Amino acid sequence: MAPGSIVLLLLSILGAAGLGDPGPLEDVVIDRYYIPKICLREVQMGDFIRYHYNGTFKDGKKFDSSYDRGATVAGVVGVGRLITGMDRGLQGMCVNERRHLIVPPHLGYGSIGVAGLIPPDATLYFDVVMLDIWNKQDKLQVTILSRPAPCNRTVQSSDFVRYHYNGTLLDGTPFDSSYSKGSTYDTYVGTGWLIKGMDEGLLGMCAGEKRSIIIPPFLAYGEKGYGTVIPPQASLVFSVLLVDFHNPKDGISLEHLEVPASCRRRAAPGDFLRYHYNGSLMDGTLFDSSYSRNQTYNTYIGKGFIIPGMDQGLQGVCVGERRRVVVPPHLAYGENGAGDVPGSAVLIFDVHIIDFHNPEDPVEIETLYRPEGCNATSRHRDFIRYHYNCSLLDGTRLFSSHDYEKPQEVTLGTNKVIEGLNRGLLDMCVGERRVLIIPPHLGHGESGARGVPGSAVLLFEVELISMEEGVPEGYLFIWHGDPPASLYEQMDLNKDGEIPAEEFSAFIKAQVAEGKGRLMPSSDPGRVIADMFRNQDRNQDGKITPEELKLKSDEDQEKIHEEL
């Protein structure tokens, strides 16, 4: 009987009550006193159902109740396993619908009744709530609630999944939730670790996807149910959020987000990298970030200093590259996790390579411009003036000589500049321009310097402005030929037997002016001459005596004899 005809029957019977007793009922009287707004399915002949009921007589005396037994009733509708009145009265019901049924004796237990329980010719009154409906022909019902737009891969059999879920019976009664436990449910798919319905229902999901999965009992816990929370023959409804998944055979996966147009070199095992990163789970949860610390992560690759997945994922990067590295848990923190990383989690690293080098790297020199006809080039101990711009490889500007009034000055080989810059300034012509790439072991090392991060590769743009020929190490002045035989007498300008600072300075300046010798180049020749005088004034009395005046070559020879 269709639901509409049942309602008409009910109205006709109720309407006749005002005219007096209509006599014995011919059919079941159905009062649908609660009908849910959403009814996805109605009870049909041959359906399996689960329901609760209270059974009373007309006077309200209870003769039976599933509530009192603490168990729902489960059975098949329309196959003679129920009294005819119930078979008819349950037709067309929705899950969570409530009905009041009046069953006349001939559709109940008739003139015989049930000994000790239901007297003969008893009219029965049932209050029924429908809890579950299913059929042996039913299949899994999967509804995709939301699905991420980029979905490069979906769950396949033998994958390991991590998901959150809420589990309810078909009537909405909750029986379990991963959220209440504060952790995902982690398991393999398609290997028999899950009920069949979940094994099937998780297939084809994307990480981050939400699904509703309705599972009939024969694909769930069947006739036995599960403990006290899932009754026998119960359909199950799971609301699932797939957090992540992987396969134990997975390697890392790479996504090249941004690769510089020019890549002069790619990172290889043994290189030392400085990079920024954001580390997140597949659901987007951020678990770590170098940006939050405002400091790059610095490490060797290919030496086991970082998780295997990142050791592999950073191979072949270029300076300035942005890359996404997806790392399965067996190449990350495994089943146990670490810190804010849960066990068996797939990790996503978005990395930006700042720079890298190898401890064996030399200074890289690129000549941008070299003047024609260049015969003289800068050498060890030469005094040079140069302009420079210094930056990190990511373009961050550090220092520039152009910020000052004059070029930078230095005597090459005197440890006044970092070794890499000293090397890069050698063999230059005046007017030449170069780009120097200096690894940290020839720069400011692991500790860095003021304004320079530790282990940073530096980029210098240099231009040689001028240079002056230097003198050998340890010398402040050298003769272009042989020194005068009577050096002291010539230096003693007023012939008083002693040489004060003024006479010494005047003599040396005259030798330089006449081209007979040259001073160690410096921006302050007077200071160099003053140092020379102090070296000769052995007793520091402000004058040089004949015994005190010695050429450096003679001093060096005396030291050799002393050592012998």
Side-chain angles (χ1 to χ4, degrees), residues 101-162:
L101 308 179
I102 303 175
V103 180
H106 65 281
L107 297 178
Y109 294 97
S111 58
I112 299 176
V114 177
L117 184 63
I118 297 175
D121 298 319
T123 299
L124 306 178
Y125 296 78
F126 293 94
D127 276 307
V128 181
V129 56
M130 185 60 60
L131 303 177
D132 202 341
I133 309 167
W134 58 279
N135 194 286
K136 287 184 177 181
Q137 305 304 315
D138 284 352
K139 296 181 180 179
L140 200 69
Q141 296 181 49
V142 175
T143 304
I144 298 175
L145 304 177
S146 67
R147 188 182 184 110
C151 181
N152 299 323
R153 175 177 166 188
T154 61
V155 173
Q156 306 296 320
S157 184
S158 81
D159 282 344
F160 188 89
V161 296
R162 295 196 313 121

Side-chain angles (χ1 to χ4, degrees), residues 408-411 413-418 422:
Q408 185 79 5
E409 299 175 340
V410 71
T411 298
T414 56
N415 299 318
K416 299 299 183 182
V417 294
I418 57 174
N422 192 89

Side-chain angles (χ1 to χ4, degrees), residues 58-102:
K58 186 176 182 179
D59 61 0
K61 181 180 178 182
K62 187 189 299 182
F63 64 82
D64 193 15
S65 172
S66 62
Y67 296 100
D68 293 346
R69 293 193 298 274
T72 55
V73 178
V76 182
V77 176
V79 294
R81 296 181 182 177
L82 302 172
I83 60 173
T84 305
M86 283 295 279
D87 253 347
R88 295 182 184 180
L90 297 174
Q91 295 290 321
M93 283 192 79
C94 306
V95 170
N96 285 326
E97 181 177 342
R98 295 176 180 271
R99 288 186 178 184
H100 181 70
L101 308 179
I102 303 175

Side-chain angles (χ1 to χ4, degrees), residues 168-236:
T168 67
L169 304 179
L170 203 59
D171 67 340
T173 301
F175 63 81
D176 195 13
S177 173
S178 63
Y179 296 97
S180 65
K181 300 181 181 70
S183 63
T184 55
Y185 191 78
D186 308 341
T187 188
Y188 286 93
V189 173
T191 56
W193 289 22
L194 292 166
I195 58 175
K196 290 182 179 180
M198 281 297 280
D199 253 347
E200 295 178 18
L202 294 171
L203 293 177
M205 286 192 79
C206 305
E209 181 176 334
K210 293 181 180 179
R211 280 186 178 182
S212 172
I213 304 173
I214 301 177
I215 305 174
F218 54 85
L219 295 176
Y221 294 98
E223 297 179 0
K224 295 182 179 180
Y226 187 82
T228 59
V229 293
I230 298 177
Q233 301 291 20
S235 300
L236 307 181

Side-chain angles (χ1 to χ4, degrees), residues 453-528:
S455 300
V457 179
L458 302 179
L459 186 148
F460 278 86
E461 297 171 328
V462 296
E463 179 182 6
L464 187 61
I465 304 302
S466 67
M467 65 179 176
E468 298 176 35
E469 188 177 2
V471 298
E473 187 172 356
Y475 286 77
L476 297 176
F477 174 88
I478 62 170
W479 296 94
H480 288 160
D482 293 331
S486 54
L487 178 61
Y488 191 85
E489 288 76 6
Q490 292 191 32
M491 195 174 290
D492 183 10
L493 300 180
N494 62 5
K495 310 303 179 186
D496 62 353
E498 57 184 32
I499 303 170
E502 294 80 8
E503 283 187 342
F504 182 86
S505 175
F507 176 81
I508 294 298
K509 287 179 179 178
Q511 304 308 303
V512 172
E514 296 171 10
K516 295 179 179 180
R518 69 177 184 274
L519 289 166
M520 181 187 79
S522 169
S523 58
D524 188 357
R527 180 176 295 178
V528 176

